[in-house]
Amino acid sequence: MSKSLPFQPDAAVSAREGELRAFLLRFIGLTLLSGVTIGMNKVLATLLGLHLHVSNFQLAAISSAETLAMALGTIPAGYILSRGNPKHLYAGVSLSLALAFCVLPWLPGWQWVALLMFLVGLCISLRIVAMSTVFLVRLPELGQGKAGWYKGTLILGMQFLGPLCGNYLIAQLGLKAGFLISALMFAILAVLGWQVLPDNTASRKQAGHSTLPGAASLRELLRVPIVRVTYLFEILASFTASSVGVFSILLAIRVLHWPAHHSVWLMAVQGLSCVLVLLFLGRFVLASRYREQLYGGAHLAIMAALLILGLWPSSIVYLAASVLLGLGLGVNNLVNTDNIARAPVDKARVSAHLTLFGMVGGTAGALAAGRLADLTGLRNVFLIWLFPWLAAWLVFHGSRWLRRSPPAAIPSLAPTAESAP
């Protein structure tokens, strides 16, 4: 008996590590397929709008209708998920999305497309909050180096594999067949989500408590300095990414004069560079003593990309700007995700708030970009977007860099009960 006792802790640790690896692989697989489906749908919806001969603003309205609905649905989603069953909700809304995409390509006008995309966004808000909440809860167990894996895998699907698949399907099978295949993928996701997601969003260490620890209401969350900064830069990132995402295909076709079947590569290059940061540089960025400098530098890279998109219209330079934008957005999300995962906050609520503010930024960015593109020209939009980034950078990074003060984010996030080993 005495000889077997020393091996019991090792066996328990090994079993726990095996469970974490299995969860991570299943979860990332689900995330990747979900991202591919979303990325396909973005291309399908954009090309459907072009097929209906819409204006820049109408195209932005189609894209932002989904984003607006996601924003409206996130707070209720966070409330429901803090008390409900993630896998039931995920499976139900995925089946609803499958039905919606069977109908979408047969709608007669852009207004109907925008209306149905609004309903699609309400469903997607539940899916996003469910998955991001589960990931934030498990991140302290998975480790700091995995902070970018969820967003990185999602972007890999959304901005690289998904657009390429959507482009290929339309070229080979036509627009309507592409929508039907997308509907089938949503049905598959419903089955996979049922198998992968847990029955609740509480971690094991919270299972014995009736309430979640930490700040939960929006007012309480906004009292936490790192939460305020995270929310601001997530809004700006969504604002910028949505504008570039909606109009990158138009930039390639109308400004660079690329063939339509090559236009998706401008979006894909940005997505791939962001994914590389999120999947492979998490530990390097987050454990670095220069973490805050890297964070500020990432925001400078985003501003440089916007400047290039506005001033130098050439294929090589635009591809370089896409890389810069992807790198900057990747580091921004790495730091923001790690800050929130380690902060003493209710993960379901903060996940809903992050999604809400991100979607508000995305909606405003797409609509404003569409209107400004019609009024001032597409390239000038990116120069206008420089001003809020510059103001935020000067307030939160400029003075600190001038004083050469040490990083402030890590000391302000002392390990909480969730992140304690």
Side-chain angles (χ1 to χ4, degrees):
M1 288 291 293
S2 61
K3 292 184 179 180
S4 64
L5 289 177
F7 295 95
Q8 290 179 358
D10 292 339
V13 169
S14 179
R16 181 173 177 273
E17 291 177 349
E19 187 275 331
L20 286 174
R21 281 195 300 269
F23 164 79
L24 184 62
L25 289 174
R26 293 195 302 267
F27 185 86
I28 292 304
L30 179 67
T31 303
L32 180 61
L33 185 58
S34 180
V36 168
T37 307
I38 294 171
M40 282 177 52
N41 296 337
K42 184 66 70 174
V43 173
L44 291 170
T46 299
L47 294 179
L48 178 60
L50 294 176
H51 177 72
L52 296 173
H53 305 292
V54 299
S55 68
N56 287 332
F57 179 74
Q58 291 167 346
L59 182 63
I62 291 173
S63 175
S64 62
E66 177 185 356
T67 309
L68 175 62
M70 291 168 67
L72 294 175
T74 49
I75 296 300
Y79 180 84
I80 293 169
L81 283 163
S82 65
R83 292 160 174 78
N85 189 314
K87 71 179 182 181
H88 289 174
L89 292 167
Y90 187 92
V93 298
S94 294
L95 291 176
S96 300
L97 288 167
L99 178 62
F101 275 83
C102 287
V103 175
L104 195 59
W106 280 269
L107 295 176
W110 74 268
Q111 299 94 333
W112 294 104
V113 173
L115 177 60
L116 187 55
M117 291 303 292
F118 182 86
L119 298 177
V120 165
L122 291 177
C123 293
I124 288 179
S125 64
L126 275 167
R127 283 163 41 99
I128 289 178
V129 175
M131 294 190 69
S132 62
T133 300
V134 169
F135 185 74
L136 283 173
V137 168
R138 299 299 299 268
L139 183 56
E141 300 174 80
L142 297 171
Q144 193 179 52
K146 305 295 191 299
W149 281 37
Y150 167 63
K151 188 67 174 285
T153 308
L154 190 64
I155 292 176
L156 177 63
M158 288 174 58
Q159 295 189 13
F160 188 73
L161 296 177
L164 293 181
C165 290
N167 197 49
Y168 176 81
L169 288 174
I170 292 170
Q172 299 297 320
L173 304 175
L175 192 61
K176 292 181 179 179
F179 276 100
L180 292 178
I181 292 173
S182 180
L184 176 61
M185 292 179 68
F186 274 122
I188 294 171
L189 283 168
V191 177
L192 293 178
W194 186 275
Q195 299 295 323
V196 173
L197 297 180
D199 291 324
N200 58 71
T201 56
S203 67
R204 291 183 181 87
K205 295 179 181 180
Q206 296 167 359
H209 300 276
S210 59
T211 60
L212 294 172
S217 71
L218 179 58
R219 181 175 297 179
E220 291 174 332
L221 288 166
L222 291 178
R223 291 196 187 109
V224 182
I226 199 65
V227 172
R228 292 198 301 269
V229 175
T230 298
Y231 280 5
L232 172 64
F233 283 114
E234 281 297 303
I235 290 173
L236 287 176
S238 298
F239 198 88
T240 304
S242 70
S243 302
V244 178
V246 169
F247 293 109
S248 60
I249 292 177
L250 293 183
L251 278 172
I253 294 174
R254 296 179 181 176
V255 177
L256 301 179
H257 306 293
W258 289 5
H261 60 281
H262 290 162
S263 61
V264 73
W265 280 101
L266 204 58
M267 180 193 299
V269 167
Q270 176 200 326
L272 185 60
S273 60
C274 185
V275 166
L276 292 175
V277 172
L278 292 170
L279 293 184
F280 300 110
L281 296 183
R283 190 175 298 277
F284 170 78
V285 172
L286 299 177
S288 172
R289 60 180 296 188
Y290 302 107
R291 169 184 170 130
E292 279 299 298
Q293 285 84 348
L294 291 171
Y295 192 43
H299 299 151
L300 285 176
I302 293 171
M303 288 189 279
L306 291 172
L307 188 66
I308 290 171
L309 290 172
L311 294 181
W312 293 287
S314 73
S315 295
I316 297 298
V317 175
Y318 268 25
L319 286 171
S322 296
V323 172
L324 271 178
L325 184 61
L327 294 176
L329 291 173
V331 173
N332 177 73
N333 185 259
L334 271 178
V335 176
N336 290 341
T337 301
D338 186 62
N339 285 345
I340 291 300
R342 298 167 60 199
V345 295
D346 180 331
K347 298 302 186 287
R349 298 294 178 83
V350 80
S351 177
H353 291 150
L354 276 173
T355 306
L356 169 65
F357 291 122
M359 292 306 101
V360 168
T363 301
L367 286 175
R371 177 56 68 191
L372 289 171
D374 287 336
L375 294 175
T376 67
L378 188 55
R379 288 165 49 201
N380 291 329
V381 173
F382 303 107
L383 298 177
I384 295 171
W385 281 184
L386 277 171
F387 292 101
W389 274 106
L390 182 59
W393 194 93
L394 290 174
V395 170
F396 291 102
H397 298 301
S399 59
R400 181 179 298 150
W401 280 27
L402 288 174
R403 294 193 308 266
R404 296 183 180 181
S405 62
I410 294 178
S412 68
L413 290 176
T416 66
E418 275 189 26
S419 61

